[in-house]
Amino acid sequence: MVSVGSKALVSRSSMGDYDHESLKQAKSKRRKHKKGGAAHESDSNPKHSNTNSNTFTSPPQLSRVRKQLDPETTQYFSEIANLFETEGVELEERSLICANALQETKGKEFEIATDYIVSHTLETILQGCDVDHLCDFLHSSANDFPYIAMDRSGSHVAETAIKSLAVHLEDDEARPLVEEALTIICKVIAANSVDVMCNCYGSHVLRTLLCLCRGVPLDKSGYYLSKSTTLLAERLNSKEFSKKDDATNFQPGFPNLLKVLVSDTLKHAKKCIKTLQVDQFSSLVFQIMGHLLLFNEVLYKVNFNFLALVDAEGICDDEELLHVIPFLLGCKDKNNAEGNFIDTKVVADLKNLLKESKFSHLMEVVLEVSPEALFNELFTKVFRNYLFELSSHQHGNFVVQALISYASNQDLMELIWEELGPNLEDLFKMGRSGVVASLVAASERLHVNEHKCCEVLAEAVCPVDDSPKGIVPRLMFLDSCFTYDDKSNWSWQSGARMNVMGSLILQTVFRFRSEYIQPYIKSITSMEATHVLEAVGDSRGSHVIEAFLSSGASGKLKRRLITKLQGHFGEVALNSSGAFTIDKCFTASNLSLRETIVSEVLAVRSDLSKTKQGSYLLRKLDIDGFAANPDHWRSKQASKESTYKDFYSMFGSNDTKLMKNDSFLRDTSNNKSNPNTVNEMRKEIDQSLGSGAPFLSFQNKNPKKEKHKSKRNAYISGDDDESNRKKRSKKEKVESRFDTAATAASGKTVKKRQRDGDLSEASLKKVKA
């Protein structure tokens, strides 16, 4: 008796006649489709008329008519699909079936990979086969690979093959096979790079291929293949922004192959660069090239059972970027001398391109990854005296935001402020609040014109002759504020949704030193109780309240705001974001006010325990402890405060010691001490007081481990506790994977950094001149 499995194990030629009805049912079962079986032109058109709004003519596209797949082959792969769906095939038998099936694809890889139904089965086969047969398939389909990559169904097959290769990167024995197959694929893709990168399907395949050459793990490739949703949060982060991509734990990729692929791709794209600059899909390819070239990955291989370092530099490959970026900007001459990266002939064209939607996205990445010398030259030749005009444009303003966010020195920020600082009100009126938010964040980050920035911002939203009480409410409702011809007639917009950018600006403002933001402190503490309650009920408004409670304002002023929520603490705690506001209120309160908060939250304990953040708040406030023994709870809180004060009296900074009149349970994020260290110390103190063990016994359990603990705050508010709200994953800082590699390259690295430093200093002097 011959089973379905045995049919798949032998060659397809031994199969008997197939039943047309069963074939029809198999097709219906695999996938509902509109086009099946009949010969049709491969879906290789890169974009439809509605996806490209620029006036440039697209280059001619590769196209190929796909022959109809013969019924016998279709039936064969349908049998395999049905077999795999039964889930009764052992791993060894499955591998053999996949190997035989790939043998049947030879000579018709394109037809099978682009078939709307059979391509799904081929994807499953590629995932289940061993590395030898996978590489053999890529060899045999190499000539057709660009066509497969540009097809609607074939692109999924191409990506599956590439991602299946990534699984074997850690296998040292398989690396030569993988590298050989990748080299062939990269060669044919680069030869047809213009067609591939302009195609909506091919562009994605090429980006996946670039990620594999770079060694990006499959679970992190989405960070590169799509725009980061935390980009705005990163740009407005209170910490100094780093241009270095901190994605860690990369697999051992093929850096040299990546460089060759990028170089050959750009070589073939040279004649069409003006078209590619404004093409939606090629722009995405160029963007990922910039990100992946930002680091030169340490490449290693195992030879004779020891680690042989091939490239141990591990530093940002500035030379490669200094070659690629000018090319992407349209510069034809190779001028790598300082001050001549950007050809003056293309400056006028660049200024116009900055207003193109697709190129503006590319320019944002260029500004992110540019070495400092090139960044300064771009500012001098392209952006200087053009910032305000560009900020008024619907696409260009995003480039200005990127320029401000990636500026890394105070002198450059001074020049940017000269052009944009006096025009904040005009930017608000034009709806360019994102530019203002970036400017305020950069001023706080680089400590440039901090006091002036706060003053000009306040004047932009609140007339000089008007009371400063309206500053914070007007920024909360930024949209409606500037719809009034006379801002003095503006009033609180009850029931309206608060503005995102206004909330972000206020969160940044409350990170400034308290002496700079007195009008803002007076404004928020003067809000009516009903308005404060409405603000904490809005997710954007609650961020503002929390930012104020974490600011450098005095504890007395913070408690003045908190008391306006008295009688509503339980109601606020039940809101989706209210738990974090209550947490901040509790931290900034004195003992009597904390007891009031806990008493009101205790009344809603049962309902609060059912909410997402309820358990966290109940533990933080020790609601159960208060309910069981209020006197013991008070004593415990008093002991905590006393311990905190004793700690800061000995180890706190001078700024902290001057704040002895404030509540000790205040957030110290405005101080220059490490906030993570402070939070860790608080946890240890809480643990010691809760268990009765001596406080110092909890310290330095593992000094080396504690020393290296560092988390990057990717949230807009700059608050560590925000991680509980969004529960987003945080990126860890990049660490050297091999100390031996760093030691071997130390001499070279020091010279390179010194050379880069001299270059940056010289370029900065030219900018200032």
Side-chain angles (χ1 to χ4, degrees):
M1 180 177 178
V2 182
S3 65
V4 177
S6 61
K7 288 184 180 180
L9 287 171
V10 297
S11 66
R12 179 178 52 82
S13 58
S14 64
M15 292 175 58
D17 294 336
Y18 60 91
D19 179 44
H20 290 277
E21 186 62 28
S22 62
L23 174 60
K24 183 177 179 181
Q25 293 176 358
K27 287 183 178 180
S28 176
K29 182 177 181 181
R30 284 296 297 157
R31 188 193 299 175
K32 294 182 178 180
H33 61 283
K34 296 179 181 179
K35 295 180 181 180
H40 62 279
E41 186 174 348
S42 176
D43 298 310
S44 59
N45 191 15
K47 48 189 175 290
H48 302 290
S49 58
N50 61 343
T51 61
N52 187 16
S53 59
N54 62 74
T55 58
F56 293 94
T57 304
S58 298
Q61 299 297 315
L62 287 174
S63 62
R64 177 173 174 177
V65 176
R66 181 175 65 83
K67 298 179 182 179
Q68 183 179 4
L69 200 60
D70 62 276
E72 190 175 359
T73 300
T74 303
Q75 173 66 10
Y76 174 69
F77 281 92
S78 296
E79 292 283 350
I80 294 177
N82 293 332
L83 179 64
F84 285 163
E85 285 180 355
T86 60
E87 299 181 357
V89 184
E90 295 182 358
L91 182 61
E92 184 178 351
E93 184 182 8
R94 187 185 185 94
S95 179
L96 183 58
I97 293 173
C98 291
N100 288 336
L102 288 180
Q103 289 293 326
E104 294 294 337
T105 65
K106 289 191 174 181
K108 42 192 171 186
E109 292 90 354
F110 173 73
E111 287 75 16
I112 293 175
T114 56
D115 185 89
Y116 196 66
I117 297 297
V118 179
S119 62
H120 272 250
T121 307
L122 182 57
E123 290 179 50
T124 305
I125 292 171
L126 291 173
Q127 291 171 340
C129 68
D130 56 40
V131 65
D132 297 286
H133 291 94
L134 175 62
C135 293
D136 186 51
F137 171 80
L138 289 173
H139 279 281
S140 62
S141 62
N143 293 333
D144 295 321
F145 200 84
Y147 299 95
I148 293 173
M150 292 185 289
D151 182 81
R152 177 180 58 176
S153 300
S155 61
H156 294 284
V157 174
E159 282 193 68
T160 300
I162 293 172
K163 291 179 178 180
S164 297
L165 283 177
V167 177
H168 303 285
L169 289 182
E170 299 289 351
D171 186 356
D172 299 309
E173 295 181 359
R175 278 184 66 84
L177 290 175
V178 174
E179 186 172 9
E180 183 182 359
L182 274 178
T183 301
I184 295 175
I185 296 301
C186 288
K187 184 177 180 179
V188 296
I189 287 291
N192 300 278
S193 58
V194 174
D195 299 295
V196 173
M197 74 170 66
C198 287
N199 182 277
C200 58
Y201 308 115
S203 171
H204 206 282
V205 173
L206 179 52
R207 283 177 276 153
T208 305
L209 182 62
L210 288 165
C211 284
L212 176 60
C213 292
R214 176 61 179 80
V216 179
L218 296 180
D219 58 343
K220 292 187 178 182
S221 61
Y223 175 82
Y224 296 91
L225 299 179
S226 61
K227 192 166 183 176
S228 174
T229 57
T230 62
L231 181 61
L232 180 61
E234 292 173 352
R235 288 183 179 178
L236 300 182
N237 202 314
S238 61
K239 297 181 180 179
E240 185 172 353
F241 195 89
S242 173
K243 292 182 181 180
K244 305 292 187 291
D245 175 25
D246 60 348
T248 57
N249 299 323
F250 277 11
Q251 294 175 310
F254 304 95
N256 293 331
L257 186 57
L258 172 65
K259 291 183 180 181
V260 172
L261 176 58
V262 170
S263 177
D264 291 348
T265 297
L266 298 181
K267 178 181 178 181
H268 289 88
K270 186 175 182 180
K271 296 181 179 179
C272 304
I273 188 61
K274 288 188 176 181
T275 301
L276 299 175
Q277 284 176 328
V278 293
D279 182 83
Q280 175 182 356
F281 305 110
S282 61
S283 176
L284 294 172
V285 174
F286 291 150
Q287 290 172 48
I288 200 172
M289 281 182 182
H291 278 131
L292 295 178
L293 288 175
L294 188 57
F295 274 126
N296 184 22
E297 179 77 1
V298 175
L299 176 65
Y300 68 93
K301 64 180 179 180
V302 175
N303 188 17
F304 300 108
N305 297 323
F306 69 92
L307 194 65
L309 293 176
V310 179
D311 183 0
E313 188 166 356
I315 308 299
C316 179
D317 195 351
D318 285 357
E319 292 183 3
E320 192 73 18
L321 289 169
L322 290 175
H323 168 70
V324 171
I325 291 176
F327 176 87
L328 298 180
L329 300 182
C331 301
K332 297 181 181 179
D333 299 329
K334 295 182 179 180
N335 295 322
N336 287 331
E338 187 268 331
N340 292 314
F341 298 120
I342 306 300
D343 189 352
T344 54
K345 297 178 182 179
V346 304
V347 171
D349 292 336
L350 277 177
K351 289 184 176 182
N352 293 327
L353 285 171
L354 292 175
K355 298 179 180 180
E356 289 282 344
S357 173
K358 309 305 181 295
F359 186 81
S360 66
H361 287 293
L362 174 59
M363 195 64 190
E364 290 180 52
V365 175
V366 166
L367 292 171
E368 179 184 355
V369 303
S370 290
E372 187 174 0
L374 177 56
F375 188 94
N376 292 337
E377 186 176 336
L378 278 170
F379 176 80
T380 304
K381 292 184 176 180
V382 180
F383 291 99
R384 194 168 186 181
N385 300 321
Y386 187 55
L387 290 177
F388 183 71
E389 179 183 343
L390 192 60
S391 297
S392 64
H393 193 269
Q394 60 176 337
H395 302 308
N397 79 92
F398 293 103
V399 180
V400 176
Q401 292 180 46
L403 176 74
I404 297 170
S405 300
Y406 300 126
S408 59
N409 62 76
Q410 294 180 336
D411 294 324
L412 188 60
M413 191 59 210
E414 286 278 6
L415 297 175
I416 295 174
W417 176 262
E418 288 178 6
E419 291 190 47
L420 297 179
N423 299 302
L424 295 190
E425 184 174 1
D426 293 330
L427 290 171
F428 276 134
K429 289 179 179 178
M430 291 186 295
R432 306 297 177 235
S433 55
V435 177
V436 178
S438 299
L439 194 62
V440 174
S443 178
E444 188 271 338
R445 172 171 53 87
L446 297 174
H447 308 291
V448 175
N449 296 320
E450 294 175 276
H451 194 192
K452 183 186 294 186
C453 178
C454 295
E455 288 181 342
V456 175
L457 177 62
E459 293 173 2
V461 296
C462 191
V464 179
D465 55 349
D466 200 358
S467 172
K469 294 181 180 180
I471 296 176
V472 170
R474 286 172 182 171
L475 282 171
M476 284 182 172
F477 297 97
L478 192 58
D479 292 332
S480 64
C481 175
F482 285 92
T483 59
Y484 282 74
D485 295 332
D486 184 4
K487 291 194 292 291
S488 60
N489 294 328
W490 183 88
S491 59
W492 181 272
Q493 305 293 300
S494 183
R497 187 80 165 129
M498 295 183 180
N499 184 267
V500 174
M501 281 300 171
S503 171
L504 294 175
I505 291 172
L506 284 171
Q507 291 173 58
T508 305
V509 165
F510 286 121
R511 293 201 297 262
F512 284 86
R513 298 180 66 89
S514 59
E515 56 265 32
Y516 300 152
I517 58 173
Q518 288 303 311
Y520 299 87
I521 294 175
K522 181 178 180 181
S523 176
I524 196 170
T525 55
S526 300
M527 289 173 58
E528 297 179 12
T530 55
H531 296 168
V532 175
L533 182 61
E534 188 173 345
V536 298
D538 186 290
S539 59
R540 298 160 184 175
S542 64
H543 279 293
V544 175
I545 301 298
E546 293 163 20
F548 167 69
L549 295 176
S550 300
S551 69
S554 68
K556 181 179 180 180
L557 292 174
K558 292 179 182 180
R559 291 190 289 273
R560 181 185 299 176
L561 180 70
I562 295 171
T563 53
K564 296 182 180 183
L565 293 173
Q566 194 165 347
H568 301 280
F569 291 121
E571 175 187 345
V572 173
L574 292 174
N575 291 336
S576 57
S577 59
F580 301 95
T581 306
I582 295 297
D583 183 11
K584 293 293 182 183
C585 289
F586 183 83
T587 300
S589 298
N590 54 24
L591 185 58
S592 61
L593 192 52
R594 275 186 243 134
E595 185 173 353
T596 302
I597 294 173
V598 173
S599 299
E600 294 187 24
V601 173
L602 177 60
V604 296
R605 176 172 55 174
S606 59
D607 293 332
L608 184 60
S609 62
K610 301 174 184 177
T611 62
K612 186 177 181 180
Q613 302 297 338
S615 58
Y616 162 77
L617 188 61
L618 292 172
R619 289 195 307 270
K620 179 67 182 290
L621 274 58
D622 192 14
I623 300 297
D624 293 336
F626 179 81
N629 191 335
D631 292 333
H632 178 69
W633 182 92
R634 296 187 194 98
S635 176
K636 188 176 178 180
Q637 293 296 319
S639 298
K640 284 184 180 181
E641 184 169 352
S642 177
T643 306
Y644 291 149
K645 288 180 178 178
D646 291 341
F647 170 76
Y648 275 108
S649 66
M650 287 193 293
F651 304 109
S653 63
N654 292 332
D655 294 337
T656 305
K657 293 177 182 179
L658 293 175
M659 299 175 185
K660 58 185 179 181
N661 293 328
D662 293 357
S663 167
F664 194 80
L665 289 172
R666 63 184 302 280
D667 191 291
T668 57
S669 60
N670 230 40
N671 300 330
K672 301 305 179 185
S673 58
N674 189 340
N676 289 331
T677 304
V678 173
N679 287 337
E680 292 296 330
M681 189 61 66
R682 286 175 177 170
K683 291 179 181 178
E684 292 175 3
I685 293 173
D686 291 343
Q687 290 173 357
S688 66
L689 292 173
S691 63
F695 161 62
L696 292 177
S697 66
F698 282 84
Q699 298 195 34
N700 297 326
K701 288 182 180 180
N702 191 342
K704 293 183 178 180
K705 184 177 180 181
E706 293 298 325
K707 181 179 178 180
H708 291 288
K709 279 188 177 179
S710 178
K711 297 180 180 179
R712 180 179 180 181
N713 183 349
Y715 294 95
I716 298 168
S717 64
D719 189 344
D720 291 325
D721 289 338
E722 282 298 302
S723 59
N724 289 319
R725 179 193 301 272
K726 300 296 184 183
K727 290 188 176 179
R728 295 175 180 168
S729 61
K730 301 181 181 67
K731 303 174 184 176
E732 298 177 353
K733 293 182 179 179
V734 176
E735 298 177 349
S736 174
R737 189 175 298 176
F738 302 104
D739 293 338
T740 56
T743 304
S746 60
K748 182 179 178 181
T749 301
V750 170
K751 292 180 181 179
K752 186 175 187 299
R753 287 176 175 170
Q754 183 178 1
R755 194 164 60 244
D756 292 343
D758 296 339
L759 189 66
S760 300
E761 184 177 354
S763 64
L764 183 57
K765 289 181 180 179
K766 289 193 174 185
V767 171
K768 294 170 68 176

